[in-house]
Amino acid sequence: MNQDIRLIDLFQARHRIRGHVLHTPLAASTSLTRRVGAPVHLKLECRQTTGSFKLRGATNALLALDDAARARGVIGVSTGNHGRALAHAAKRLGVRAVICMSRLVPANKVEAIRALGAEVHISGASQDEAELEVARLVREEGLTLLPPFDHPDVIAGQGTAGLEILDDLPSVDTVLVPLSGGGLLAGVALAMKSASRDIRVVGVTMERGCAMHASIQAGRPVQVEELETLADSLGGGIGLDNRYTFRMAQTLVDDTVLVSEAEIADAIRHAYREEQVIVEGAGAVGIAALLAGRVANPGTTAVLVSGANIDMALHRRLVCEEWNAGGT
């Protein structure tokens, strides 16, 4: 396969992060199996230590740094979950962490990062604008940049979730993966396609401003307007100078699917009522795609439920159906 990240990097990442992250459950879903007419399993990364898969990549990247790079402290831009993961891993290793976020990041995610002892910088109205603050701090303070997705060690760390799916469900036919910057999708797709080219890998994202989906459609990285969405963790650009995830998504992913805000809300409700799982909007998009019939003939399916870090007041509104698609 023609990319710089290899299957061996995923296995090395799994060895490196063992003891730092959980091997999360792969739970059979009776309700979705009945709906789809084929076995459906939920990979519950929402039960990871920091509430999302992001801990895998952040931990692997931090552990892979040399002592000098760690001593300078680390910095990242985040829509919430990468920042929380990086803050958690840095605290555990005694490393300074600085997290830059835009004003669109929900308050519950900002406060969770502060509670872990990281320094928080809120800058601009989009992740692209927050990245300008990252660049300034790297330049002025010499901090070590660990980005949320477009980094070999981050991608390899996220790909360990794919290795676990293969361990627990070797008969898998289709894997549905939330899509934002593509670090999770790229890593999981590498794991799946290395096992069998016949495993179908589908990236699922929101209709409201997914840069990677637009970039794949355009055949090159493009910018899109960052909009408010229930799937807030999937917001942000992929970088016009994207080095890894765009090319891997182009070559390894079979399809990308869009879901609406109403469909994401339905999926959050379904996860709570039928699966007894609290899931954030970004983590619910795979469930949304199945409920909406967006994936035809999936066969034995693994749905990666990527995170649980939803504002609980919003969750209560959604579960009680006091929310509408015009009022995110």
Side-chain angles (χ1 to χ4, degrees):
M1 295 181 190
N2 184 30
Q3 69 260 341
D4 300 318
I5 301 159
R6 304 159 298 161
L7 181 63
I8 192 173
D9 298 318
L10 274 62
F11 282 103
Q12 289 174 342
R14 179 157 72 173
H15 177 76
R16 188 179 288 126
I17 67 179
R18 185 173 287 125
H20 294 266
V21 305
L22 301 177
H23 182 130
T24 54
L26 187 70
S29 169
T30 301
S31 61
L32 289 171
T33 295
R34 187 168 54 245
R35 179 74 69 96
V36 173
V40 176
H41 295 74
L42 304 178
K43 176 62 171 170
L44 297 176
E45 281 297 293
C46 53
R47 294 186 178 164
Q48 191 54 260
T49 302
T50 57
S52 88
F53 74 95
K54 288 285 192 178
L55 187 61
R56 297 175 182 273
T59 300
N60 188 51
L62 192 52
L63 289 172
L65 292 177
D66 60 32
D67 290 342
R70 282 193 218 168
R72 292 196 299 271
V74 295
I75 188 170
V77 66
S78 178
T79 53
N81 286 336
H82 174 65
R84 187 170 182 172
L86 188 56
H88 176 91
K91 181 178 182 179
R92 186 167 180 172
L93 295 172
V95 175
R96 178 191 178 198
V98 180
I99 309 300
C100 297
M101 294 175 283
S102 81
R103 293 190 295 273
L104 289 180
V105 176
N108 67 299
K109 294 186 175 182
V110 175
E111 292 310 312
I113 292 168
R114 284 199 175 105
L116 287 165
E119 301 166 36
V120 173
H121 290 240
I122 305 298
S123 180
S126 71
Q127 183 161 307
D128 289 340
E129 291 181 25
E131 284 179 351
L132 298 176
E133 178 70 356
V134 170
R136 182 186 72 80
L137 290 168
V138 168
R139 184 174 61 250
E140 294 180 4
E141 299 189 22
L143 293 160
T144 301
L145 174 61
L146 289 180
F149 54 87
D150 197 35
H151 186 287
D153 293 325
V154 171
I155 295 167
Q158 318 302 29
T160 62
L163 296 180
E164 290 178 12
I165 291 172
L166 290 168
D167 288 343
D168 297 340
L169 190 67
S171 62
V172 66
D173 296 309
T174 300
V175 183
L176 305 184
V177 185
L179 171 60
S180 178
L184 178 63
L185 182 61
V188 171
L190 176 58
M192 296 302 150
K193 295 300 185 180
S194 297
S196 171
R197 299 296 302 189
D198 292 331
I199 298 175
R200 185 180 176 195
V201 181
V202 179
V204 188
T205 192
M206 70 286 185
E207 291 178 347
R208 292 175 62 84
C210 179
M212 182 63 83
H213 176 79
S215 297
I216 291 171
Q217 295 296 306
R220 57 181 174 81
V222 298
Q223 289 181 314
V224 299
E225 182 182 2
E226 192 170 340
L227 302 169
E228 272 195 271
T229 171
L230 286 173
D232 54 85
S233 293
L234 302 184
I238 69 166
L240 297 181
D241 58 349
N242 186 289
R243 296 180 60 197
Y244 301 100
T245 61
F246 172 71
R247 179 159 42 89
M248 292 178 73
Q250 267 192 320
T251 58
L252 296 175
V253 175
D254 296 286
D255 197 9
T256 59
V257 170
L258 301 178
V259 290
S260 70
E261 296 298 298
E263 288 163 349
I264 295 169
D266 286 342
I268 293 171
R269 282 190 285 270
H270 175 93
Y272 185 72
R273 294 171 178 171
E274 302 292 336
E275 317 293 346
Q276 292 76 53
V277 174
I278 292 174
V279 60
E280 63 183 279
V285 293
I287 295 172
L290 289 182
L291 291 175
R294 295 279 193 276
V295 184
N297 303 314
T300 299
T301 302
V303 181
L304 207 150
V305 181
S306 57
N309 296 321
I310 188 170
D311 178 83
M312 291 310 298
L314 172 60
H315 190 269
R316 284 191 295 272
R317 286 168 51 209
L318 290 166
V319 169
C320 295
E321 301 187 77
E322 296 171 1
W323 175 92
N324 62 74
T328 61

